[in-house]
Amino acid sequence: MSLFKARDLWTAQCGEDEVFDQSCVITSTLGSRYDKIIVGSHAGYLRIFEPSIERLEDGKMAGYKPTDLLIEMNLQHPILQIGVGKLVSGSQVEHLSVLHPRSVAVYSLVTRAGAAEHGDQSRLMLAYEHQLRRSAFCMVIGSFGGVNGRDFMCVQSLDGTLSFFEQETFAFNRFLPGFLLPGPLVFLPQTDSFLTVTSNWHAETYKYQVLAEAGGTNDQESSSGRKILADWSYNIGEAALDVAAITWATSYCDIIILGERNIFCIRDNGTLVFMKRLEYKPCCFHSYFVEPDGKLMVLVVTDTNTLLVYEHARLRWSAQLIVTPVAITRGTFEMLNHNVPQQKSSLSGVVVLLSERGELQCCYLGTEPSLFKPPPLEIHAIDYEEAGRELQKLQKMIKDCTKKSTAALTSTAAEREVRVSVNVSSQLEPCPFPHNIDEEGIEIPMCRVSVELVPHSPLSKVQVSVIVQPPLTVSQVSHTISSLCERNHVVAYVYIEQSCDVPTLEVRVVTSYMSSTGGFPRVLHNVVQLPFRLIAFYTGPAKEADFKVTLNTNQPVVSLSQLFPEFVGEGGMSGTCTAAGFHCYGGRGSIVTVLAAKSSQRYRLQCDTLPSLCLLMSQLVERLKKHFSKNKDFKCSYSSSLPLHELFSEIGTHFVFREKARKIQEELGQKAAQFRAIQRRLLAKFKDKTPTPLTNLDMLLKETYQQILSSADEMEEIQQALARSRCQLSCVTRLILLMLKLMNSTSEEDYSNIQAALSSAVYDTEEQGWEEITDAALSYLLRTSLTKTSKSSQRLAPITLEPMKDIARFKKHISSALDRVSKGSHGTERKDNAADPLKSVKSVSPIPEAGEGGHEEETAVPVGSQYGERAVSANPRGRSAALLRARRALHTPSVDSGLNLDPGAGDGLKAEERKPLPSPQVGMIEAPSEVFPSVDDDIW
């Protein structure tokens, strides 16, 4: 007999000989002020109760009345689950969704005011119904895709198919990978993803965007589209009975999983918050969030009819139940008092229980005196030796558990101890630091980055680091706070230090500190984006350019003033701008021109230098995605060739500067050793009591010192050139990775692998450089996931990071990796060579000697690359004339480079202008300039 018991408020019986489970009861207002209890049985009966909790004059509860039952309706099919949401288009009223084995129906509750004593009349009206092709298991209702004011439905079938319904419209079907048995399914609104517990006891989440963009047909698996991959996975090690998602003040979600032996709380990013070991067998649970106090409460019902109330992982209350429930929830109901007839109040937090046989009970947690008297304890003789051994064993177990728990505490919930907010100012300021004037005399601005720290408890040794990628630099990288007890602000300024192209505008803020409990080190990461106006300003478009990139979209062309609104205004672009130029501060006078096609759904970027296209291309892609964020079918693709020749050229330049720096460093070491030897000889002569001639050692010392100074100056110049080469190489690498991502033939898994191996962050050390690290990563990738044959049973030879002497093998590894990624990880041959960005290089004919004044060119170098090498110092018009002569000298058939040049394609070219073009090869992004219409033509 328990001291704490659940006190009965209201009880009802739902039919006879009917079966219920944990998905058969919910509480919802359905448009009214107080909650209603909606119960559905496996026999097909749907009941809606509106409990009238009434206290009589003697203090007792009135109990169930016939008028409490609003609706009892037989739907002719078993009811598997009930849900409520805004499921009817054009209406903000909540509707009732009922899941049957082969259908899902949506009903609206209609209430008609009555004039007699029996009160109002309620009935259910069918809004619409979807027939299911597969047997259903469960469903989820939520605002998928971040829509506002609407809810969608997702039905999980017994074979692992997810069917999505956008209110009255069927959207698509998707198969979960590696599916065996269905499990509980919930929707996480903060990350717009679905979580399920698979048959191998893993909690996995899938992004709604990934499921929507996976492709395939409605009846077949998405083999032709994007591969469905889990966003993250966590092994809970046991079967899950139920799952719930709790939102914390619209910032993040906590996922509560009730297992057979444990309760897990997992953050929506896949990190474990806490785990509670259960000493009993759970039946059902319900979790909720207490808003003012920020507490997570979990109600768990055991097989011994005991209700346990947990606050996070700590037990706060225990009560004995009258029935054995299979489902538990909470609700808010109206309460009447006979002693004060005019007084009506709301009773919140009422526990609603439903048993397997239909016993519906509303109760609250209370106490009553216990008449149970425990029997006297039997006194036994104590064995002190055995008790000592048991005490030592328990102490050892406690010590081991403490060690394990401290390791787990270091990686959980760091953001609960301190809140870090990063704000990037949109207003630029003049840069007061040195080198704030570029090569053309234009003043370079700077951007203010402020970091706000709000601790929940006193913290010590707080260090805030603001990290950017060169050529961007920060006025003060590291900020140290010895003791953080209240709100604090850290300010840093970001500006361009070198005259180089900027690969990315990303700013990483790393906050490290020692926790207040236990002194564990914690690290928080925040990533923000700098404004594009920090590194570029608007200027007129350029008609001629050496490098051009064309992006294809499936949506109408958007005006550039809408994509770049910060440049609209006085001296900027107009409201209907279709051609704009951007002058980059660090790009050495390069102007990047963006063109929007007038008669097609394409955008073109062009510039005289390839690295300058990197940042603007990524900006254009991101702004297009943001503009069409509500359109789930938006796609942006790139279908031309990859500029590998320019990448190899940048790699060669970077490697040459590294070799020069290494040789100069060796010379400095030798001269420094010589300088020290001369100093020792001179010191010995000066210490000699008998003066001897210096034998020109003083002149040799002076000459050696001058050589050391000269080598040091040369080393400084090489280091500056090497830093610029790193920036250029980083831009070209990032540009190629972006082009590879936009290709339709690249899978998400292969792209993530090549992105990790071919890193766009170029860093060099004295022992290892970017080439050695990238070559080792690509070699491992080519032998594992990108191999043409299965070598899983063979043992791979170890990869050594020795200093690289020749980059020819490294270039072959890059070409092979990009070739296999563009074709697929298993190297499947394509039917159309023109669609292969790397294979078409074999079909290029060399330029005859007469075409270029008798200069010989190697056959392996494409036309565009040869032209780019010859036209470094020539003017744009001279380069265009050289390209025209090169094009006339070629007789190879044309290859589509991403622009449709066939008759009737709507590209704006006349029939007599459609001449054979040289194939766009590795090193030439597109065909020469004269075959494209200029800025004033009809297309652009």
Side-chain angles (χ1 to χ4, degrees), residues 658-669:
R658 280 188 56 205
E659 289 297 310
K660 288 183 179 180
R662 182 181 59 82
K663 292 179 181 179
I664 295 176
Q665 191 172 4
E666 292 178 357
E667 293 177 1
L668 276 173

Side-chain angles (χ1 to χ4, degrees), residues 786-788 820 823-829:
L786 295 182
T787 183
K788 293 184 178 180
R820 296 181 188 180
K823 294 178 180 178
S825 59
H826 299 289
T828 305
E829 294 294 336

Side-chain angles (χ1 to χ4, degrees), residues 512-541:
S512 61
Y513 62 92
M514 304 298 292
S515 64
S516 57
T517 58
F520 302 116
R522 302 287 176 85
V523 179
L524 292 174
H525 293 266
N526 297 82
V527 179
V528 293
Q529 293 290 330
L530 295 171
F532 183 56
R533 293 174 57 247
L534 177 65
I535 58 99
F537 63 90
Y538 175 80
T539 184

Side-chain angles (χ1 to χ4, degrees), residues 628-692:
F628 294 103
S629 59
K630 296 182 180 180
N631 193 338
K632 302 174 184 178
D633 300 330
F634 172 73
K635 289 183 180 180
C636 182
S637 61
Y638 172 78
S639 57
S640 188
S641 57
L642 298 178
L644 288 193
H645 183 72
E646 280 72 17
L647 174 62
F648 294 157
S649 177
E650 294 294 342
I651 292 175
T653 304
H654 178 259
F655 186 74
V656 167
F657 284 135
R658 280 188 56 205
E659 289 297 310
K660 288 183 179 180
R662 182 181 59 82
K663 292 179 181 179
I664 295 176
Q665 191 172 4
E666 292 178 357
E667 293 177 1
L668 276 173
Q670 295 174 1
K671 293 176 182 178
Q674 179 181 341
F675 188 76
R676 289 191 298 269
I678 297 173
Q679 283 180 325
R680 286 194 297 268
R681 293 286 300 274
L682 283 174
L683 184 60
K685 286 183 176 291
F686 289 149
K687 287 184 178 180
D688 194 358
K689 295 181 180 180
T690 304
T692 57

Side-chain angles (χ1 to χ4, degrees), residues 417-418 453-462 481-489 513-514 516:
E417 296 181 351
V418 59
L453 304 174
V454 182
H456 299 289
S457 59
L459 304 176
S460 61
K461 299 179 182 179
V462 181
I481 304 174
S482 58
S483 178
L484 183 63
C485 301
E486 58 184 7
R487 186 190 304 266
N488 200 339
H489 288 82
Y513 62 92
M514 304 298 292
S516 57

Side-chain angles (χ1 to χ4, degrees), residues 748-760:
E748 184 176 355
E749 181 179 2
D750 290 342
Y751 175 75
S752 61
N753 291 337
I754 195 66
Q755 186 184 27
L758 189 62
S759 175
S760 60

